[in-house]
Amino acid sequence: MAILDDLSGYEFEDLMEDVFRHLGYGNVRQSRRTADEGRDILMEEVVDGTRRAVVVECKHTATVSRPVIQKLHSAATTYDYDGPVRGMVATTGRFTAPAREYARQLGDGDGGVELLDGQDLRTIGEEIGMNLYNGRIEILCTETLQPVHPTAGRDAPVFAAVREIANLEAVTIPTPETTVSLEPMVTVRATTDATFETSVGVIHRIDEVNDLVVHADRDAPAVATGDVRDLVATPTAPRIDIEDAALEATFDGVERKRFGQTETAYKEWAIDRLRQAHTTTVHYTGGNNVDYEKTCTPTRSDISVQAIDPVYVPHVRSQLSLGEYEYEYAYYAAGPSRSTTTNDLQGCVHCETAGSSESYTYCANCGSINCDAHIETERLEGEPICLGCAVTERFALKTKYFYDETNLEAFRAEYDDMSVLEKARENVPLAVGTVLALLVVALLIASSVGAV
Ligand SMILES: [Zn+2]
Ligand SMILES: [Zn+2]
């Protein structure tokens, strides 16, 4: 396992923390031992109903000799724990013969020291299905939120978006090209239990359980917010086992991203995040009647991580081809629920107008979706036409819109045959203005006649 040997000491400890968590040990965490350069991993197991602590020393060295085992044995027997304690030494290398003999004498009960060498670690790694990736234990996740609407089918969300456009029929549109990208996310559930005391007593208390949802496909974890967070955090969000063949049969393309960090890294990140989030300034009055101000920040040990839950969240993207235009509709999916990330169907192709508060009209001539300012009525057919593709000409001092030159020609002929009144009707404000002007003239004449 060449990659194991490339790890730094701390990386090895982080990796082992992940391994033990996957093996089913409880409350796995790291601590710095006083008067020692290394960190220990502390964890718990339950044997016949009794909770027992396990102190693990990680040795990233080629050989581990007897004194290491002796030291850990005495650390385990003096460890401050309300119950039995045993030890364990994990190394990337091997143990010397005297080290093995000494561990054998200690046995595997309380105060005993279990030995795991590089060969054991390789076997364990294979058994729990962990692959080494970039020198770390990659999170291997086999579950995804359900990417398809369970009753309405793959493209139902696109059709729903299309139906928002009044003059576009969902049945007439071509089948969109729909791909899915499985994006890694991690939910970290943590309890913060902190009490802040001064000479006057307890001034602040935190007792809270938080679920942090993280986009886990990039180097730095990014907090998921809003609808996406809710989709992932909902305990009832439908999950399925990832079956590549089924996904490939349903979607035009399937992509699965890798988790960017290890579980331990997300745990550490969540603890830091919660310490910041729970930091608050408290005002209190001291025994001497003086007002004080104290900043209360939970310590790392005030926060315990209950669960780290990785899952893939399907990001479904549909490309819809209408005339000369391509539209994208994309969303995070969880069965019948979704959170839209892109909706080109709700926006004008000619300007910045977008969003659900506006109304949009489809131009069948070119395939564009338009805001009210960029759509007109075709003079000959009476159908909507956009300013982008319309052929225009002024009649009766008013601009008219046509699908093409042929329609324009046809209307020219029609217009030439019109009576003066019909022509005037081609420009209603002008026609009304003309009628009003004639009335005024008539009134003027009438009044001048009466005055005579
Ligand atoms: Zn517009
Ligand atoms: Zn158009």
Side-chain angles (χ1 to χ4, degrees):
M1 198 189 273
I3 299 168
L4 245 191
D5 300 332
D6 291 341
L7 300 176
S8 76
Y10 285 160
E11 284 170 339
F12 177 53
E13 279 153 354
D14 287 349
L15 183 144
M16 289 313 298
E17 193 185 326
D18 279 357
V19 167
F20 291 128
R21 196 175 291 116
H22 276 257
L23 285 172
Y25 287 97
N27 201 12
V28 183
R29 62 209 187 275
Q30 292 183 38
S31 86
R32 188 176 297 279
R33 200 196 306 163
T34 47
D36 193 300
E37 76 286 356
R39 289 184 296 182
D40 290 326
I41 293 173
L42 305 173
M43 56 195 195
E44 288 167 6
E45 61 193 1
V46 180
V47 180
D48 296 332
T50 302
R51 190 162 285 275
R52 179 161 73 177
V54 185
V55 183
V56 188
E57 170 140 21
C58 297
K59 281 287 176 191
H60 190 43
T61 51
T63 54
V64 177
S65 53
R66 181 185 157 117
V68 173
I69 319 297
Q70 280 172 311
K71 227 166 96 189
L72 185 66
H73 168 65
S74 55
T77 49
T78 57
Y79 180 60
D80 181 19
Y81 184 77
D82 187 20
V85 182
R86 70 179 181 99
M88 190 189 282
V89 181
T91 180
T92 46
R94 57 179 194 85
F95 296 94
T96 62
R100 288 192 176 280
E101 177 54 25
Y102 185 70
R104 198 187 59 76
Q105 286 167 17
L106 291 173
D108 55 8
D110 304 341
V113 176
E114 186 181 352
L115 305 184
L116 295 175
D117 64 13
Q119 187 59 51
D120 295 328
L121 296 184
R122 267 173 276 242
T123 311
I124 290 169
E126 282 164 21
E127 275 172 11
I128 60 180
M130 281 185 139
N131 280 346
L132 284 177
Y133 167 64
N134 285 349
R136 305 166 306 188
I137 283 194
E138 184 184 10
I139 295 176
L140 291 182
C141 174
T142 57
E143 278 190 326
T144 178
L145 299 186
Q146 167 69 265
V148 181
H149 192 298
T151 51
R154 185 192 81 167
D155 291 322
V158 195
F159 292 135
V162 162
R163 275 191 290 271
E164 292 295 310
I165 302 162
N167 66 329
L168 191 53
E169 297 281 334
V171 287
T172 64
I173 65 166
T175 302
E177 165 136 338
T178 300
T179 60
V180 66
S181 165
L182 300 182
E183 295 190 4
M185 293 210 191
V186 171
T187 306
V188 182
R189 164 163 289 205
T191 304
T192 307
D193 187 356
T195 306
F196 301 89
E197 277 186 282
T198 69
S199 55
V200 297
V202 174
I203 56 162
H204 184 51
R205 245 203 95 86
I206 306 165
D207 187 4
E208 237 184 89
V209 180
N210 298 98
D211 286 321
L212 292 173
V213 178
V214 189
H215 288 279
D217 60 328
R218 47 203 97 179
D219 285 342
V223 186
T225 53
D227 296 346
V228 192
R229 187 208 169 277
D230 295 344
L231 283 187
V232 181
T234 308
T236 53
R239 292 188 177 193
I240 56 164
D241 284 334
I242 297 171
E243 282 172 38
D244 292 326
L247 285 173
E248 274 155 25
T250 307
F251 291 96
D252 300 309
V254 180
E255 180 196 13
R256 196 195 302 194
K257 295 184 180 169
R258 305 189 94 122
F259 284 79
Q261 311 232 327
T262 62
E263 288 189 359
T264 300
Y266 292 119
K267 191 193 84 171
E268 295 299 322
W269 169 87
I271 290 173
D272 286 340
R273 184 97 196 176
L274 286 168
R275 288 187 68 203
Q276 287 170 30
H278 286 309
T279 295
T280 177
T281 302
V282 176
H283 295 269
Y284 66 98
T285 307
N288 52 3
N289 253 352
V290 175
D291 287 336
Y292 292 99
E293 190 180 278
K294 183 181 160 71
T295 303
C296 300
T297 304
T299 64
R300 297 186 74 79
S301 56
D302 288 336
I303 298 167
S304 58
V305 172
Q306 260 87 54
I308 300 174
D309 180 26
V311 71
Y312 283 103
V313 181
H315 199 179
V316 181
R317 281 193 185 79
S318 292
Q319 289 286 340
L320 183 59
S321 246
L322 296 175
E324 300 160 17
Y325 293 87
E326 285 281 331
Y327 301 93
E328 180 171 296
Y329 181 74
Y331 56 94
Y332 285 108
S337 307
R338 65 179 175 275
S339 162
T340 303
T341 52
T342 308
N343 185 359
D344 291 344
L345 294 164
Q346 228 161 46
C348 176
V349 304
H350 302 294
C351 70
E352 299 295 310
T353 303
S356 57
S357 58
E358 306 288 329
S359 65
Y360 302 95
T361 309
Y362 178 64
C363 172
N365 196 41
C366 69
S368 65
I369 290 168
N370 306 274
C371 73
D372 291 344
H374 283 105
I375 199 82
E376 290 291 342
T377 302
E378 216 269 1
R379 175 57 190 86
L380 218 55
E381 323 253 344
E383 294 294 326
I385 179 137
C386 79
L387 297 192
C389 69
V391 173
T392 63
E393 189 162 306
R394 284 170 80 82
F395 291 90
L397 303 176
K398 193 170 189 294
T399 306
K400 300 283 164 188
Y401 303 86
F402 302 93
Y403 278 158
D404 47 29
E405 289 293 341
T406 314
N407 276 19
L408 170 60
E409 276 308 324
F411 182 71
R412 264 197 205 118
E414 209 176 280
Y415 186 78
D416 286 344
D417 292 342
M418 282 180 185
S419 68
V420 176
L421 193 62
E422 282 172 327
K423 281 180 177 167
R425 277 204 205 104
E426 287 301 316
N427 187 342
V428 174
L430 183 66
V432 170
T434 308
V435 170
L436 284 176
L438 288 172
L439 267 174
V440 170
V441 170
L443 281 171
L444 282 174
I445 292 167
S447 61
S448 64
V449 168
V452 169

